[in-house]
């Protein structure tokens, strides 16, 4: 059982090659950056490229006026619950193609309902809509969406070799209609989900039919998130005009264009206010519950809701902490070091499985207890103190999470996930997180850094508040929620707190069934069923992304 | 009106008592070592010993301040009166039984000293004040029982070490190796100032405090020392605080029991 095994011990032994219980060690004897294979590679490339470009470049001897990185062990990292070890550098998104692709696959996705368009086609324009016409339209759109012309007689187009990851598929909750759709275009709910989840999802979707559109990765790389619904809108309307032989310009086309292009659009992320100005489909606008639904772990291993939550957490760490806070909001490179704590070395995994065991023993399973003060106090206190005690029992663990914010995130995540599992209520889960933060601060007499602590010291007060600008149902919060706008190091675990509440009680989705289905798609480049494994493949340079430009650049 | 009597901190354990003790300005901190004024100035590195304080404004009495009841109520510190710059000293405290934790540094600083601005992070605590005021406060912070030469570090930048294991001499890690253990004397010696600029000559800050003494003096709960979960008063205090904040945020009219 996890509580006896201490899941993190194996990784700690490999990281330090010393007993994890040992309090004393040697420093300053590791030959600085030379102890790291990756840093040695960086030096080799930096030296070569500095000569080529004639401008000084990567040179670790510039660090700290000549005192290089590596005065202590530059420890490797294990991708939790995989066999993959890598260096910290390999988890920076610039160095990890899988992380880039996860974000590109999210950003380049738009869901657009077809029912409004079909209604206008039939009632206003007098066109017949049948499964055959839908299949024909989808074939036309699969030609057009990547960047090809369908109406014009003299038009530039995109090279198929650059945009082959762009396509459209559809899904519906109506089995009869699904049977009529060409299987090449169908996300088959019955096939992709376990039977009980498929039944929930089909009931939620009903007879409606939705398109899932993937714009080319190369567009996601070169344009912004707001581009996506515009790109899809243009190609949808052109394909509709082609497939249904519509007149280009009559007044009714205005109504049709709105119905087909805009009326039923679901973006992956919402717009943000001016102070964080970004368009839709940018990381800052992706609600926690949407990200949890993009993660597909729940359909491949529903019997382990803790693992499911941990997989969702890893996506939150990369999207919110590494991309959004670490790059969009702050610049620089430092946030990766920080964000890895929730998905490496089996540490959070150990805390979460400990909490899950505690919940099972005390409350007879997951989602069986009603949220109450006594329950939140009991579970959040026990899991928090367990986590803090592990850091104190194992000095190598404390050294692994060498920043207080890492420890605070991981301990509180364990507490929040456990409360979510017990109650099936993520608002109770987030309240458990905030109790954990306050306990942690008093226990250690330290927590994170100023900007980290601030939200946690006022978080108790907004955890149950639904008032505008002070609260929100937790599933719909995210980094666009005012109190979380600068809440680095939290949102990964918050994604897991949402996920745990729902996977604990066997829900097929957390917030939006359409998003859950849209990402149940084997043709996506990133593997949303196993994000941590996929990040590990990226770290090992075994992940092949989309968006390659080798066709249009000189060969090396 | 009943006279206000500060309570400082809850808890029934030895750690809680130590926290109350350090925060209570009526308790005189024990002096354990002497660092000369000049050496302290060198360790901080803001000015050369003997150099006049730089100022950012004329002395207050020459400035003709506007009429203001707050200014009449609050006596300026000597540094403020003189117009000194605001400068800093920053400490890193190891997780291994140091006398002060970061939050303790802030709470204690605010109950004991005037005119200080203290920030708290997990691995460092900057204290800022007018320069001549800072030098007075810094004396307390380095010479008394709240400083352990081996497990507390005076570090302006590249602070990390608080959570790392200790070296073979029981010293906290310091990437810049500002301080070293002198095997001959058994004392900890600074060879660089807090920002990492080499000193002309080493400055001793004395012998490390023995581990068994640190365990008595510490303000940190630890499972291998005094575990937090055994201080039930403390745990329940935090739980109640959280519950009241939560209820007040949801609906203040529902809050009971204050």
């Amino acid at each position: 059982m996890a509580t006896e095994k201490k899941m993190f011990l194996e990784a700690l032994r490999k990281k330090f090659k010393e007993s994890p219980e040992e309090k004393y060690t040697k420093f300053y004897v590791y030959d600085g950056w030379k102890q790291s294979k990756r840093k040695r590679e960086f030096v080799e490339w930096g030296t070569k490229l500095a000569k080529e470009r004639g401008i000084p470049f990567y040179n670790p001897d510039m660090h700290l006026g000549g005192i290089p990185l590596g005065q202590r062990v530059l420890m490797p990292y294990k991708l939790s619950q995989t066999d993959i070890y890598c260096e910290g550098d390999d988890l920076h998104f610039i160095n990890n193609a899988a992380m880039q692709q996860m974000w590109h696959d999210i950003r380049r996705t738009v869901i657009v309902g077809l029912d409004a368009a079909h209604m206008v086609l039939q009632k206003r324009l007098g066109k017949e809509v049948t499964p055959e016409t839908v299949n024909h339209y989808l074939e036309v759109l699969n030609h057009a969406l990547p960047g090809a012309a369908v109406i014009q007689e003299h038009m530039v187009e995109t090279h198929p070799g650059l945009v082959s990851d762009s396509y459209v598929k559809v899904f519906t909750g109506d089995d009869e209609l699904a049977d009529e759709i060409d299987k090449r275009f169908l996300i088959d709910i019955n096939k992709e989900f376990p039977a009980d989840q498929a039944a929930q999802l089909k009931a939620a979707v009903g007879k409606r039919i939705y398109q899932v559109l993937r714009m080319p990765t190369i567009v996601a790389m070169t344009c912004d998130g707001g581009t996506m619904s515009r790109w899809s809108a243009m190609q949808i309307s052109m394909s509709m005009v082609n497939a249904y032989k519509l007149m280009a310009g009559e007044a009714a086309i205005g109504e049709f264009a709105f119905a087909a292009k805009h009326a039923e659009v679901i973006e992956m992320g919402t717009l943000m206010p001016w102070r964080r100005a970004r368009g839709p489909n940018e990381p800052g606008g992706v609600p926690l519950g949407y990200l949890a639904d993009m993660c597909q772990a729940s359909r491949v291993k529903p019997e382990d809701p803790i693992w499911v939550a941990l997989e969702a957490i890893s996506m939150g760490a990369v999207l919110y902490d590494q991309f959004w806070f670490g790059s969009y909001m702050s610049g620089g490179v430092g946030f990766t070091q920080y964000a890895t704590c929730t998905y490496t070395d089996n540490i959070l995994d150990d805390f979460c499985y400990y909490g899950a065991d505690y919940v099972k023993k005390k409350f007879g399973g997951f989602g069986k207890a009603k949220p109450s003060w006594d329950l939140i106090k009991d579970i959040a206190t026990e899991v928090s103190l367990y986590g803090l005690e592990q850091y104190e029992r194992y000095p190598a663990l404390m050294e692994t999470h060498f920043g207080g914010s890492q420890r605070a995130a991981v301990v509180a995540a364990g507490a929040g996930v456990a409360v979510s599992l017990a109650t099936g209520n993520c608002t109770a889960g987030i309240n458990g997180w905030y109790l954990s933060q306050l306990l942690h601060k008093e226990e250690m007499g330290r927590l994170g850094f100023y900007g980290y602590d601030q939200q946690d010291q006022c978080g108790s007060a907004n955890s149950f508040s639904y008032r505008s600008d002070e609260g929100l149902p937790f599933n719909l919060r995210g980094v666009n929620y005012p109190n979380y706008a600068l809440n680095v190091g939290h949102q990964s675990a918050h994604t897991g707190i949402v996920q745990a509440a729902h996977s604990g009680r066997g829900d097929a989705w957390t917030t939006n069934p359409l998003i859950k289905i849209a990402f149940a798609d084997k043709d996506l480049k990133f593997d949303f069923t196993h994000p941590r494994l996929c990040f590990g493949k990226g770290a090992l340079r075994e992940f092949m992304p989309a968006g390659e430009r080798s066709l249009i650049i000189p060969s090396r | 009106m009943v006279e206000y009597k500060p309570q400082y901190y809850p808890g029934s354990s030895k750690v809680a008592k130590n926290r109350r003790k350090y925060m209570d300005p009526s308790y005189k901190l024990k002096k354990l070592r002497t660092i000369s004024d000049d050496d302290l100035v060198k360790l901080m590195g803001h000015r050369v010993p003997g150099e006049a304080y730089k100022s950012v404004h004329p002395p207050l009495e020459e400035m003709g301040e506007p009429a203001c009841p707050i200014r009449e109520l609050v006596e300026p510190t000597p540094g403020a009166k003189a117009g000194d710059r605001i400068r800093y000293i920053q400490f890193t405290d190891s997780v291994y039984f140091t006398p002060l934790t970061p939050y303790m540094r802030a709470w204690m600083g605010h109950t004991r000293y005037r005119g200080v601005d203290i920030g708290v992070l997990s691995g460092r605590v900057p204290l800022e004040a007018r320069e001549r005021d800072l030098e007075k406060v810094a004396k307390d912070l380095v010479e008394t029982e709240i400083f352990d030469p081996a497990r507390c570090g005076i570090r302006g930048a590249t602070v990390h070490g608080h959570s790392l294991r200790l070296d073979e001499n029981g010293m906290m890690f310091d990437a810049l190796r500002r301080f070293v253990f002198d095997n001959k004397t058994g004392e900890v010696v600074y060879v660089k100032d807090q920002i990492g600029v080499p000193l002309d000559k080493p400055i001793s800050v004395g012998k490390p405090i023995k581990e068994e003494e640190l365990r008595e003096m510490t303000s940190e709960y630890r499972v291998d020392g005094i575990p937090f979960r055994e201080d039930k008063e403390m745990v329940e205090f935090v739980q109640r605080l959280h519950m009241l904040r939560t209820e007040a945020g949801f609906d203040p009219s529902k809050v009971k029991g204050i």
Side-chain angles (χ1 to χ4, degrees), chain A residues 283-539:
Chain A
V286 180
L288 300 169
Y290 275 28
L291 190 64
D293 285 331
M294 288 166 196
C295 181
Q296 297 291 308
S298 58
R299 68 183 167 89
V300 298
K301 214 173 180 183
E303 71 281 7
D304 189 349
I306 304 103
W307 179 81
V308 171
L310 289 160
E311 293 293 340
I313 284 171
S314 72
M315 284 176 53
V318 173
L319 186 74
Y320 294 129
D321 289 327
Q322 296 182 211
F323 276 94
W324 178 249
F325 286 120
S327 198
Y328 279 72
M329 293 293 275
S330 72
V333 297
F335 285 32
T336 304
Q337 183 74 61
Y338 173 15
T340 55
C341 65
T342 53
Y343 62 90
T344 54
D345 301 324
N346 283 343
I347 297 167
L348 177 56
D349 301 56
D350 182 87
F351 295 2
C352 286
Y353 281 101
Y354 176 85
D357 286 350
Y358 186 77
V359 166
K360 275 193 264 186
K361 277 183 205 152
K362 195 136 189 195
F363 299 96
F366 303 143
K368 292 188 183 299
K370 280 192 173 174
S372 69
W373 273 125
D374 285 344
L375 178 145
I376 293 170
K377 272 195 304 192
D378 178 2
I379 298 175
T381 302
E382 177 53 39
V383 179
S384 300
L385 296 185
Y386 169 81
L388 290 167
E389 287 164 0
Q390 302 320 300
Y391 286 115
E392 290 158 3
R393 283 187 209 284
Y394 300 99
L397 184 63
M398 184 76 87
E399 186 164 325
T400 294
H401 288 176
F402 56 87
S405 306
Q406 295 178 308
R407 299 188 295 270
V410 171
V411 169
V417 164
V419 173
S420 274
L421 284 170
T423 59
N425 182 320
C426 62
T427 300
I430 189 61
N431 192 256
W433 162 288
Y434 286 120
L435 173 55
S436 174
Q437 297 284 359
L438 298 182
L439 288 163
H440 188 151
K441 178 188 161 201
E442 300 306 325
E443 197 264 14
M444 286 193 81
R446 68 182 93 211
L447 196 58
F449 55 90
Y450 318 101
Y452 185 97
D453 291 13
Q454 183 271 328
Q455 293 92 345
D456 288 310
Q457 297 196 41
C458 65
S460 309
N462 64 41
S463 54
F464 279 104
S465 173
Y466 276 36
R467 285 175 297 194
S468 171
D469 216 39
E470 293 174 23
L472 201 62
F474 193 56
N475 297 49
L476 297 179
R477 295 187 191 184
V479 289
N480 206 13
Y481 165 67
N483 202 45
Y484 298 167
L486 298 169
N487 212 203
V488 64
H490 295 64
Q491 306 305 313
S492 59
H494 288 185
T495 309
I497 289 171
V498 171
Q499 180 63 68
H502 293 277
S503 49
R505 62 187 197 195
D507 291 347
W509 76 90
T510 75
T511 308
N512 189 327
L514 308 181
I515 288 182
K516 178 57 80 176
I517 298 165
F519 284 84
D521 179 2
K522 62 180 172 34
D523 289 317
L524 281 166
K525 294 290 173 187
F526 183 76
D527 181 359
F528 286 84
T529 63
H530 292 82
R532 291 184 291 189
L533 184 62
C534 209
F535 296 145
K537 286 180 182 170

Side-chain angles (χ1 to χ4, degrees), chain B residues 45-69:
Chain B
H46 301 308
R47 67 186 181 103
V48 177
E51 181 188 0
Y53 292 106
K54 292 186 175 67
S55 60
V56 291
H57 60 75
L60 291 180
E61 60 185 24
E62 294 173 17
M63 284 181 65
E65 289 194 279
C68 167

